[in-house]
PDB file of all heavy atoms in Angstrom:
ATOM      1  N   VAL A 737       0.838  -1.205   0.000  1.00 45.00           N
ATOM      2  CA  VAL A 737       0.000   0.000   0.000  1.00 45.00           C
ATOM      3  C   VAL A 737       0.868   1.249   0.000  1.00 45.00           C
ATOM      4  O   VAL A 737       0.607   2.214  -0.732  1.00 45.00           O
ATOM      5  CB  VAL A 737      -0.973  -0.012   1.205  1.00 45.00           C
ATOM      6  CG1 VAL A 737      -1.647   1.334   1.378  1.00 45.00           C
ATOM      7  CG2 VAL A 737      -1.998  -1.115   1.054  1.00 45.00           C
ATOM      8  N   LEU A 738       1.924   1.261   0.808  1.00 47.00           N
ATOM      9  CA  LEU A 738       2.840   2.415   0.850  1.00 47.00           C
ATOM     10  C   LEU A 738       3.524   2.627  -0.493  1.00 47.00           C
ATOM     11  O   LEU A 738       3.662   3.757  -0.959  1.00 47.00           O
ATOM     12  CB  LEU A 738       3.880   2.244   1.955  1.00 47.00           C
ATOM     13  CG  LEU A 738       3.401   2.511   3.376  1.00 47.00           C
ATOM     14  CD1 LEU A 738       4.498   2.144   4.373  1.00 47.00           C
ATOM     15  CD2 LEU A 738       3.028   3.963   3.540  1.00 47.00           C
ATOM     16  N   MET A 739       3.946   1.549  -1.122  1.00 51.00           N
ATOM     17  CA  MET A 739       4.613   1.680  -2.426  1.00 51.00           C
ATOM     18  C   MET A 739       3.625   2.196  -3.480  1.00 51.00           C
ATOM     19  O   MET A 739       3.973   3.048  -4.285  1.00 51.00           O
ATOM     20  CB  MET A 739       5.213   0.330  -2.849  1.00 51.00           C
ATOM     21  CG  MET A 739       6.445  -0.037  -2.021  1.00 51.00           C
ATOM     22  SD  MET A 739       7.173  -1.586  -2.514  1.00 51.00           S
ATOM     23  CE  MET A 739       7.778  -1.216  -4.126  1.00 51.00           C
ATOM     24  N   LEU A 740       2.416   1.685  -3.440  1.00 51.00           N
ATOM     25  CA  LEU A 740       1.404   2.135  -4.386  1.00 51.00           C
ATOM     26  C   LEU A 740       1.080   3.611  -4.174  1.00 51.00           C
ATOM     27  O   LEU A 740       0.963   4.375  -5.131  1.00 51.00           O
ATOM     28  CB  LEU A 740       0.136   1.285  -4.231  1.00 51.00           C
ATOM     29  CG  LEU A 740      -0.989   1.577  -5.206  1.00 51.00           C
ATOM     30  CD1 LEU A 740      -0.526   1.351  -6.643  1.00 51.00           C
ATOM     31  CD2 LEU A 740      -2.193   0.708  -4.891  1.00 51.00           C
ATOM     32  N   ALA A 741       0.975   4.022  -2.928  1.00 48.00           N
ATOM     33  CA  ALA A 741       0.713   5.427  -2.613  1.00 48.00           C
ATOM     34  C   ALA A 741       1.869   6.309  -3.079  1.00 48.00           C
ATOM     35  O   ALA A 741       1.658   7.402  -3.608  1.00 48.00           O
ATOM     36  CB  ALA A 741       0.468   5.599  -1.126  1.00 48.00           C
ATOM     37  N   THR A 742       3.089   5.859  -2.900  1.00 49.00           N
ATOM     38  CA  THR A 742       4.264   6.630  -3.324  1.00 49.00           C
ATOM     39  C   THR A 742       4.290   6.775  -4.840  1.00 49.00           C
ATOM     40  O   THR A 742       4.527   7.868  -5.374  1.00 49.00           O
ATOM     41  CB  THR A 742       5.560   5.948  -2.839  1.00 49.00           C
ATOM     42  OG1 THR A 742       5.499   5.807  -1.425  1.00 49.00           O
ATOM     43  CG2 THR A 742       6.788   6.758  -3.215  1.00 49.00           C
ATOM     44  N   VAL A 743       4.031   5.691  -5.565  1.00 46.00           N
ATOM     45  CA  VAL A 743       4.024   5.734  -7.031  1.00 46.00           C
ATOM     46  C   VAL A 743       2.906   6.666  -7.518  1.00 46.00           C
ATOM     47  O   VAL A 743       3.113   7.491  -8.414  1.00 46.00           O
ATOM     48  CB  VAL A 743       3.867   4.311  -7.614  1.00 46.00           C
ATOM     49  CG1 VAL A 743       3.571   4.360  -9.103  1.00 46.00           C
ATOM     50  CG2 VAL A 743       5.120   3.503  -7.342  1.00 46.00           C
ATOM     51  N   ALA A 744       1.734   6.558  -6.917  1.00 46.00           N
ATOM     52  CA  ALA A 744       0.621   7.425  -7.305  1.00 46.00           C
ATOM     53  C   ALA A 744       0.950   8.889  -7.056  1.00 46.00           C
ATOM     54  O   ALA A 744       0.645   9.761  -7.869  1.00 46.00           O
ATOM     55  CB  ALA A 744      -0.647   7.029  -6.549  1.00 46.00           C
ATOM     56  N   THR A 745       1.591   9.172  -5.931  1.00 45.00           N
ATOM     57  CA  THR A 745       1.982  10.546  -5.610  1.00 45.00           C
ATOM     58  C   THR A 745       2.992  11.065  -6.620  1.00 45.00           C
ATOM     59  O   THR A 745       2.885  12.190  -7.105  1.00 45.00           O
ATOM     60  CB  THR A 745       2.565  10.627  -4.185  1.00 45.00           C
ATOM     61  OG1 THR A 745       1.589  10.135  -3.268  1.00 45.00           O
ATOM     62  CG2 THR A 745       2.963  12.036  -3.826  1.00 45.00           C
ATOM     63  N   LEU A 746       3.976  10.252  -6.962  1.00 43.00           N
ATOM     64  CA  LEU A 746       4.993  10.679  -7.916  1.00 43.00           C
ATOM     65  C   LEU A 746       4.404  10.910  -9.303  1.00 43.00           C
ATOM     66  O   LEU A 746       4.847  11.792 -10.036  1.00 43.00           O
ATOM     67  CB  LEU A 746       6.128   9.648  -7.978  1.00 43.00           C
ATOM     68  CG  LEU A 746       7.014   9.580  -6.734  1.00 43.00           C
ATOM     69  CD1 LEU A 746       8.012   8.427  -6.861  1.00 43.00           C
ATOM     70  CD2 LEU A 746       7.729  10.893  -6.498  1.00 43.00           C
ATOM     71  N   LEU A 747       3.408  10.126  -9.674  1.00 42.00           N
ATOM     72  CA  LEU A 747       2.746  10.335 -10.963  1.00 42.00           C
ATOM     73  C   LEU A 747       1.847  11.565 -10.947  1.00 42.00           C
ATOM     74  O   LEU A 747       1.690  12.254 -11.952  1.00 42.00           O
ATOM     75  CB  LEU A 747       1.920   9.101 -11.344  1.00 42.00           C
ATOM     76  CG  LEU A 747       2.713   7.856 -11.702  1.00 42.00           C
ATOM     77  CD1 LEU A 747       1.768   6.676 -11.909  1.00 42.00           C
ATOM     78  CD2 LEU A 747       3.558   8.077 -12.936  1.00 42.00           C
ATOM     79  N   PHE A 748       1.256  11.852  -9.812  1.00 41.00           N
ATOM     80  CA  PHE A 748       0.303  12.958  -9.692  1.00 41.00           C
ATOM     81  C   PHE A 748       0.989  14.313  -9.542  1.00 41.00           C
ATOM     82  O   PHE A 748       0.486  15.327 -10.002  1.00 41.00           O
ATOM     83  CB  PHE A 748      -0.615  12.696  -8.491  1.00 41.00           C
ATOM     84  CG  PHE A 748      -1.707  13.703  -8.333  1.00 41.00           C
ATOM     85  CD1 PHE A 748      -2.728  13.795  -9.270  1.00 41.00           C
ATOM     86  CD2 PHE A 748      -1.728  14.575  -7.263  1.00 41.00           C
ATOM     87  CE1 PHE A 748      -3.741  14.719  -9.132  1.00 41.00           C
ATOM     88  CE2 PHE A 748      -2.739  15.510  -7.107  1.00 41.00           C
ATOM     89  CZ  PHE A 748      -3.746  15.573  -8.045  1.00 41.00           C
ATOM     90  N   LEU A 749       2.175  14.356  -8.941  1.00 38.00           N
ATOM     91  CA  LEU A 749       2.864  15.628  -8.670  1.00 38.00           C
ATOM     92  C   LEU A 749       3.156  16.454  -9.923  1.00 38.00           C
ATOM     93  O   LEU A 749       2.930  17.659  -9.916  1.00 38.00           O
ATOM     94  CB  LEU A 749       4.150  15.387  -7.885  1.00 38.00           C
ATOM     95  CG  LEU A 749       3.965  15.221  -6.388  1.00 38.00           C
ATOM     96  CD1 LEU A 749       5.308  14.930  -5.721  1.00 38.00           C
ATOM     97  CD2 LEU A 749       3.324  16.425  -5.761  1.00 38.00           C
ATOM     98  N   PRO A 750       3.653  15.878 -11.019  1.00 40.00           N
ATOM     99  CA  PRO A 750       3.900  16.719 -12.195  1.00 40.00           C
ATOM    100  C   PRO A 750       2.637  17.402 -12.720  1.00 40.00           C
ATOM    101  O   PRO A 750       2.695  18.516 -13.213  1.00 40.00           O
ATOM    102  CB  PRO A 750       4.466  15.746 -13.235  1.00 40.00           C
ATOM    103  CG  PRO A 750       5.022  14.626 -12.446  1.00 40.00           C
ATOM    104  CD  PRO A 750       4.163  14.525 -11.214  1.00 40.00           C
ATOM    105  N   ALA A 751       1.503  16.753 -12.595  1.00 43.00           N
ATOM    106  CA  ALA A 751       0.253  17.363 -13.056  1.00 43.00           C
ATOM    107  C   ALA A 751      -0.160  18.526 -12.171  1.00 43.00           C
ATOM    108  O   ALA A 751      -0.899  19.396 -12.588  1.00 43.00           O
ATOM    109  CB  ALA A 751      -0.845  16.309 -13.089  1.00 43.00           C
ATOM    110  N   CYS A 752       0.294  18.534 -10.933  1.00 46.00           N
ATOM    111  CA  CYS A 752      -0.086  19.589  -9.990  1.00 46.00           C
ATOM    112  C   CYS A 752       0.909  20.739  -9.968  1.00 46.00           C
ATOM    113  O   CYS A 752       0.670  21.730  -9.298  1.00 46.00           O
ATOM    114  CB  CYS A 752      -0.189  19.025  -8.576  1.00 46.00           C
ATOM    115  SG  CYS A 752      -1.564  17.907  -8.388  1.00 46.00           S
ATOM    116  N   GLN A 753       2.035  20.570 -10.644  1.00 54.00           N
ATOM    117  CA  GLN A 753       3.031  21.630 -10.599  1.00 54.00           C
ATOM    118  C   GLN A 753       2.454  22.909 -11.163  1.00 54.00           C
ATOM    119  O   GLN A 753       1.813  22.914 -12.203  1.00 54.00           O
ATOM    120  CB  GLN A 753       4.280  21.228 -11.378  1.00 54.00           C
ATOM    121  CG  GLN A 753       5.125  20.227 -10.647  1.00 54.00           C
ATOM    122  CD  GLN A 753       6.391  19.902 -11.441  1.00 54.00           C
ATOM    123  OE1 GLN A 753       6.477  20.182 -12.619  1.00 54.00           O
ATOM    124  NE2 GLN A 753       7.343  19.302 -10.766  1.00 54.00           N
ATOM    125  N   SER A 754       2.700  23.968 -10.450  1.00 69.00           N
ATOM    126  CA  SER A 754       2.176  25.246 -10.907  1.00 69.00           C
ATOM    127  C   SER A 754       3.187  25.934 -11.803  1.00 69.00           C
ATOM    128  O   SER A 754       4.374  25.613 -11.801  1.00 69.00           O
ATOM    129  CB  SER A 754       1.843  26.121  -9.705  1.00 69.00           C
ATOM    130  OG  SER A 754       2.995  26.310  -8.923  1.00 69.00           O
ATOM    131  N   MET A 755       2.679  26.868 -12.550  1.00 79.00           N
ATOM    132  CA  MET A 755       3.503  27.653 -13.450  1.00 79.00           C
ATOM    133  C   MET A 755       4.203  28.741 -12.640  1.00 79.00           C
ATOM    134  O   MET A 755       3.572  29.386 -11.811  1.00 79.00           O
ATOM    135  CB  MET A 755       2.591  28.262 -14.521  1.00 79.00           C
ATOM    136  CG  MET A 755       3.306  28.959 -15.621  1.00 79.00           C
ATOM    137  SD  MET A 755       2.153  29.641 -16.847  1.00 79.00           S
ATOM    138  CE  MET A 755       1.527  28.167 -17.599  1.00 79.00           C
ATOM    139  N   SER A 756       5.459  28.947 -12.882  1.00 85.00           N
ATOM    140  CA  SER A 756       6.174  30.016 -12.182  1.00 85.00           C
ATOM    141  C   SER A 756       5.729  31.365 -12.740  1.00 85.00           C
ATOM    142  O   SER A 756       5.132  31.451 -13.816  1.00 85.00           O
ATOM    143  CB  SER A 756       7.683  29.857 -12.346  1.00 85.00           C
ATOM    144  OG  SER A 756       8.078  30.232 -13.659  1.00 85.00           O
ATOM    145  N   THR A 757       6.044  32.396 -12.003  1.00 86.00           N
ATOM    146  CA  THR A 757       5.688  33.749 -12.431  1.00 86.00           C
ATOM    147  C   THR A 757       6.344  34.077 -13.775  1.00 86.00           C
ATOM    148  O   THR A 757       5.706  34.642 -14.664  1.00 86.00           O
ATOM    149  CB  THR A 757       6.106  34.753 -11.342  1.00 86.00           C
ATOM    150  OG1 THR A 757       5.486  34.354 -10.118  1.00 86.00           O
ATOM    151  CG2 THR A 757       5.683  36.155 -11.676  1.00 86.00           C
ATOM    152  N   GLU A 758       7.603  33.705 -13.924  1.00 90.00           N
ATOM    153  CA  GLU A 758       8.316  33.972 -15.185  1.00 90.00           C
ATOM    154  C   GLU A 758       7.727  33.176 -16.345  1.00 90.00           C
ATOM    155  O   GLU A 758       7.589  33.692 -17.452  1.00 90.00           O
ATOM    156  CB  GLU A 758       9.815  33.669 -15.038  1.00 90.00           C
ATOM    157  CG  GLU A 758      10.567  34.691 -14.218  1.00 90.00           C
ATOM    158  CD  GLU A 758      10.413  36.109 -14.770  1.00 90.00           C
ATOM    159  OE1 GLU A 758      10.596  36.315 -15.986  1.00 90.00           O
ATOM    160  OE2 GLU A 758      10.122  37.011 -13.976  1.00 90.00           O
ATOM    161  N   GLU A 759       7.380  31.907 -16.098  1.00 90.00           N
ATOM    162  CA  GLU A 759       6.762  31.092 -17.151  1.00 90.00           C
ATOM    163  C   GLU A 759       5.429  31.702 -17.594  1.00 90.00           C
ATOM    164  O   GLU A 759       5.134  31.741 -18.783  1.00 90.00           O
ATOM    165  CB  GLU A 759       6.520  29.663 -16.649  1.00 90.00           C
ATOM    166  CG  GLU A 759       7.773  28.840 -16.506  1.00 90.00           C
ATOM    167  CD  GLU A 759       7.479  27.487 -15.874  1.00 90.00           C
ATOM    168  OE1 GLU A 759       6.678  27.422 -14.914  1.00 90.00           O
ATOM    169  OE2 GLU A 759       8.069  26.497 -16.344  1.00 90.00           O
ATOM    170  N   LEU A 760       4.655  32.159 -16.630  1.00 92.00           N
ATOM    171  CA  LEU A 760       3.369  32.773 -16.956  1.00 92.00           C
ATOM    172  C   LEU A 760       3.563  34.015 -17.813  1.00 92.00           C
ATOM    173  O   LEU A 760       2.900  34.192 -18.834  1.00 92.00           O
ATOM    174  CB  LEU A 760       2.603  33.124 -15.678  1.00 92.00           C
ATOM    175  CG  LEU A 760       1.255  33.806 -15.874  1.00 92.00           C
ATOM    176  CD1 LEU A 760       0.297  32.925 -16.666  1.00 92.00           C
ATOM    177  CD2 LEU A 760       0.647  34.180 -14.530  1.00 92.00           C
ATOM    178  N   LYS A 761       4.496  34.859 -17.414  1.00 91.00           N
ATOM    179  CA  LYS A 761       4.744  36.101 -18.163  1.00 91.00           C
ATOM    180  C   LYS A 761       5.186  35.814 -19.592  1.00 91.00           C
ATOM    181  O   LYS A 761       4.783  36.505 -20.535  1.00 91.00           O
ATOM    182  CB  LYS A 761       5.784  36.943 -17.435  1.00 91.00           C
ATOM    183  CG  LYS A 761       5.947  38.320 -18.019  1.00 91.00           C
ATOM    184  CD  LYS A 761       6.786  39.199 -17.137  1.00 91.00           C
ATOM    185  CE  LYS A 761       6.776  40.592 -17.704  1.00 91.00           C
ATOM    186  NZ  LYS A 761       6.533  41.610 -16.737  1.00 91.00           N
ATOM    187  N   LYS A 762       5.985  34.761 -19.781  1.00 92.00           N
ATOM    188  CA  LYS A 762       6.476  34.415 -21.115  1.00 92.00           C
ATOM    189  C   LYS A 762       5.457  33.643 -21.950  1.00 92.00           C
ATOM    190  O   LYS A 762       5.661  33.444 -23.135  1.00 92.00           O
ATOM    191  CB  LYS A 762       7.757  33.587 -20.989  1.00 92.00           C
ATOM    192  CG  LYS A 762       8.927  34.388 -20.461  1.00 92.00           C
ATOM    193  CD  LYS A 762      10.158  33.523 -20.298  1.00 92.00           C
ATOM    194  CE  LYS A 762      11.311  34.340 -19.742  1.00 92.00           C
ATOM    195  NZ  LYS A 762      12.502  33.508 -19.504  1.00 92.00           N
ATOM    196  N   SER A 763       4.355  33.218 -21.329  1.00 93.00           N
ATOM    197  CA  SER A 763       3.360  32.402 -22.030  1.00 93.00           C
ATOM    198  C   SER A 763       2.208  33.202 -22.615  1.00 93.00           C
ATOM    199  O   SER A 763       1.473  32.693 -23.451  1.00 93.00           O
ATOM    200  CB  SER A 763       2.773  31.367 -21.064  1.00 93.00           C
ATOM    201  OG  SER A 763       3.770  30.510 -20.596  1.00 93.00           O
ATOM    202  N   LEU A 764       2.016  34.440 -22.143  1.00 93.00           N
ATOM    203  CA  LEU A 764       0.843  35.234 -22.526  1.00 93.00           C
ATOM    204  C   LEU A 764       1.209  36.438 -23.365  1.00 93.00           C
ATOM    205  O   LEU A 764       2.220  37.088 -23.122  1.00 93.00           O
ATOM    206  CB  LEU A 764       0.140  35.778 -21.279  1.00 93.00           C
ATOM    207  CG  LEU A 764      -0.404  34.818 -20.256  1.00 93.00           C
ATOM    208  CD1 LEU A 764      -0.932  35.597 -19.072  1.00 93.00           C
ATOM    209  CD2 LEU A 764      -1.505  33.986 -20.845  1.00 93.00           C
ATOM    210  N   GLU A 765       0.337  36.737 -24.317  1.00 96.00           N
ATOM    211  CA  GLU A 765       0.406  37.998 -25.040  1.00 96.00           C
ATOM    212  C   GLU A 765      -1.002  38.582 -25.045  1.00 96.00           C
ATOM    213  O   GLU A 765      -1.958  37.902 -25.418  1.00 96.00           O
ATOM    214  CB  GLU A 765       0.888  37.788 -26.474  1.00 96.00           C
ATOM    215  CG  GLU A 765       0.962  39.064 -27.268  1.00 96.00           C
ATOM    216  CD  GLU A 765       1.392  38.829 -28.713  1.00 96.00           C
ATOM    217  OE1 GLU A 765       1.665  37.676 -29.100  1.00 96.00           O
ATOM    218  OE2 GLU A 765       1.414  39.821 -29.459  1.00 96.00           O
ATOM    219  N   VAL A 766      -1.146  39.825 -24.590  1.00 97.00           N
ATOM    220  CA  VAL A 766      -2.439  40.486 -24.561  1.00 97.00           C
ATOM    221  C   VAL A 766      -2.661  41.137 -25.927  1.00 97.00           C
ATOM    222  O   VAL A 766      -1.831  41.909 -26.389  1.00 97.00           O
ATOM    223  CB  VAL A 766      -2.491  41.546 -23.436  1.00 97.00           C
ATOM    224  CG1 VAL A 766      -3.844  42.233 -23.412  1.00 97.00           C
ATOM    225  CG2 VAL A 766      -2.199  40.907 -22.090  1.00 97.00           C
ATOM    226  N   VAL A 767      -3.801  40.800 -26.562  1.00 97.00           N
ATOM    227  CA  VAL A 767      -4.110  41.320 -27.896  1.00 97.00           C
ATOM    228  C   VAL A 767      -5.542  41.860 -27.916  1.00 97.00           C
ATOM    229  O   VAL A 767      -6.337  41.580 -27.026  1.00 97.00           O
ATOM    230  CB  VAL A 767      -3.927  40.232 -28.990  1.00 97.00           C
ATOM    231  CG1 VAL A 767      -2.467  39.804 -29.085  1.00 97.00           C
ATOM    232  CG2 VAL A 767      -4.806  39.021 -28.723  1.00 97.00           C
ATOM    233  N   ASP A 768      -5.858  42.609 -28.951  1.00 97.00           N
ATOM    234  CA  ASP A 768      -7.211  43.150 -29.177  1.00 97.00           C
ATOM    235  C   ASP A 768      -7.733  43.930 -27.964  1.00 97.00           C
ATOM    236  O   ASP A 768      -8.870  43.745 -27.533  1.00 97.00           O
ATOM    237  CB  ASP A 768      -8.200  42.039 -29.539  1.00 97.00           C
ATOM    238  CG  ASP A 768      -7.790  41.262 -30.776  1.00 97.00           C
ATOM    239  OD1 ASP A 768      -7.097  41.844 -31.631  1.00 97.00           O
ATOM    240  OD2 ASP A 768      -8.151  40.077 -30.886  1.00 97.00           O
TER     241      ASP A 768
END
């Protein structure tokens, strides 16, 4: 159970990673 929980956590963490402030600024362009 512990190993399964650890594997699930490791798989789930990349999906939860947030965008850094710099990444956000470089990802958007305001138009119109």
Side-chain angles (χ1 to χ4, degrees):
V737 169
L738 283 173
M739 288 181 67
L740 183 60
T742 303
V743 168
T745 303
L746 290 174
L747 291 174
F748 185 67
L749 278 178
C752 291
Q753 285 182 344
S754 58
M755 187 180 291
S756 74
T757 304
E758 287 304 311
E759 288 174 319
L760 178 61
K761 189 170 186 133
K762 291 178 181 177
S763 299
L764 300 175
E765 179 182 358
V766 180
V767 296
D768 302 332

